[in-house]
Amino acid sequence: MDDRVNKLAGLLRRLIDGDPPLTIARDLAGFKGVITAQELALAEEQLIASGTAVDEIQRANQLHAALVLDDLNTQSGADMADWSPGHPAYVFMGENEGIRGFLSGRLQPDLDAFLASSAEKDRQNLLSAGQELQIALNKHYERKENLLFPYLEKAGITVPPQVMWGVDDVIRNLLNLFVETISQTPVNSKRLTMIFERFTVQVEQMIVKENHILLPMLKPHMSEEDWLLVARESSIIGYALNKGVEGASNSDAMTWLQNATHEGKRQTSSAGTIELPSGQLSLAQLTAMLNTLPTDLTFIDHDDIIRYYSEG
């Protein structure tokens, strides 16, 4: 493993230094077996430890993602079957299906129609599609950055989230430029097409990295209680482009959350007592005590999310 990571870090460094990607690809072909998400993460960590700046890795991200794209796509255990329908990871991957579908079934056709006609109605359709995608990607990336990345950082995996967040910002900026260009009069069609091509490549590579790097890396570092917290907070932020994706709709996510919450309560109840610094109480005793206090209680955590309220 150490030898493979050292070699992979060396190849990434050569990419950053400007070596031709085709030369790197030939050397990469000498690796035995597929490159794993863990190896890629460790290679990036090694580059940072040796003095490479995060923004240098971000700038080379598209190149090195393209080199390992086929390997990542063929890895086993990187699909929605790893999680049950409605699970936050299942929904996250379902959104990626929805993003792909939106690009090919809505944004691309609307762009083609506008480039062919330059009609105002086609421009408005394209503008509407771009604005809808802005809202969707913001929700998708916000959940990833604020709900999932902290678990990697807590486990000491810091570079991949930083690199991925930087690329998220590039994608958001490209989409903002795309929408701004559509809004200008007259529309610069050549610039619009160039931005669209760069944007779609970056989005597709991010989908692969989320499905085949981010989620596999998260798996060993998150408990069911962690996923339950992610599901609760995801419902507050909202989901995106998951309508019609079987097992990943809003109702699927809510059903999973309700079932997981019920199971968690059942397990807590069967555990007997809740240990406190000054004693122990059963769940029923604690609930009854809080509900009989002569005041209403509400607990709001550091994220301004209501976690508990008494039933008085």
Side-chain angles (χ1 to χ4, degrees):
M1 167 72 87
D2 288 344
D3 186 52
R4 285 170 60 86
V5 170
N6 288 338
K7 288 180 179 178
L8 183 56
L11 292 177
L12 296 183
R13 181 67 252 183
R14 285 168 55 192
L15 266 182
I16 293 170
D17 291 339
D19 277 16
L22 287 177
T23 303
I24 305 296
R26 283 196 295 269
D27 293 339
L28 192 65
F31 275 70
K32 292 182 179 179
V34 297
I35 295 169
T36 67
Q38 183 185 8
E39 288 171 336
L40 190 58
L42 289 173
E44 290 181 346
E45 296 276 1
Q46 189 178 110
L47 286 177
I48 293 296
S50 66
T52 303
V54 172
D55 60 351
E56 286 187 287
I57 299 176
Q58 288 170 348
R59 284 196 294 271
N61 183 266
Q62 185 173 339
L63 290 173
H64 82 241
L67 290 176
V68 300
L69 194 65
D70 290 338
D71 270 351
L72 293 173
N73 267 321
T74 57
Q75 287 183 49
S76 60
D79 57 41
M80 295 167 77
D82 290 349
W83 292 275
S84 58
H87 187 284
Y90 192 105
V91 174
F92 194 74
M93 296 182 77
E95 285 183 327
N96 278 334
E97 281 192 13
I99 292 168
R100 278 178 170 147
F102 189 92
L103 290 176
S104 62
R106 173 81 185 278
L107 196 64
Q108 179 76 66
D110 283 354
L111 175 62
D112 292 342
F114 172 71
L115 293 176
S117 70
S118 297
E120 177 60 19
K121 67 177 181 62
D122 290 327
R123 186 182 75 86
Q124 289 296 333
N125 287 340
L126 182 58
L127 179 60
S128 175
Q131 291 170 336
E132 185 176 340
L133 188 56
Q134 280 180 312
I135 295 171
L137 285 184
N138 281 336
K139 287 182 180 179
H140 184 78
Y141 291 161
E142 182 181 352
R143 295 208 325 280
K144 174 177 65 174
E145 294 159 357
N146 296 324
L147 302 185
L148 299 181
F149 283 174
Y151 290 100
L152 290 180
E153 292 161 355
K154 183 179 178 181
I157 303 171
T158 58
V159 177
Q162 290 180 60
V163 173
M164 206 173 283
W165 198 320
V167 178
D168 288 348
D169 287 340
V170 170
I171 291 171
R172 281 185 284 239
N173 289 337
L174 285 171
L175 183 54
N176 290 341
L177 284 173
F178 184 76
V179 170
E180 288 173 11
T181 303
I182 302 165
S183 304
Q184 294 169 354
T185 305
V187 176
N188 186 328
S189 297
K190 186 176 180 180
R191 182 169 187 260
L192 189 66
T193 302
M194 180 186 70
I195 295 170
F196 177 80
E197 290 173 352
R198 289 182 59 199
F199 167 75
T200 51
V201 168
Q202 293 276 11
V203 170
E204 174 57 34
Q205 290 185 351
M206 181 55 71
I207 288 173
V208 173
K209 283 179 279 189
E210 287 175 352
N211 289 354
H212 299 286
I213 297 178
L214 173 63
L215 293 177
M217 277 197 298
L218 280 168
K219 213 171 183 183
H221 302 295
M222 292 185 68
S223 66
E224 282 305 306
E225 290 76 16
D226 295 331
W227 284 117
L228 185 58
L229 179 59
V230 168
R232 289 187 184 125
E233 300 198 3
S234 292
S235 66
I236 296 170
I237 295 173
Y239 303 101
L241 301 178
N242 58 333
K243 185 177 180 181
V245 181
E246 187 175 352
S249 67
N250 287 14
S251 60
D252 292 316
M254 186 56 64
T255 298
W256 185 90
L257 176 57
Q258 290 171 345
N259 290 341
T261 301
H262 176 74
E263 178 65 16
K265 287 180 179 178
R266 187 192 68 76
Q267 290 175 356
T268 302
S269 298
S270 65
T273 59
I274 298 170
E275 299 293 332
L276 298 168
S278 57
Q280 57 187 29
L281 295 166
S282 71
L283 179 62
Q285 289 170 335
L286 180 59
T287 301
M289 184 180 73
L290 292 171
N291 285 341
T292 53
L293 289 174
T295 184
D296 289 333
L297 294 177
T298 300
F299 173 68
I300 302 172
D301 72 5
H302 63 286
D303 292 319
D304 285 338
I305 296 173
I306 296 175
R307 296 299 182 190
Y308 169 82
Y309 57 88
S310 57
E311 301 169 47

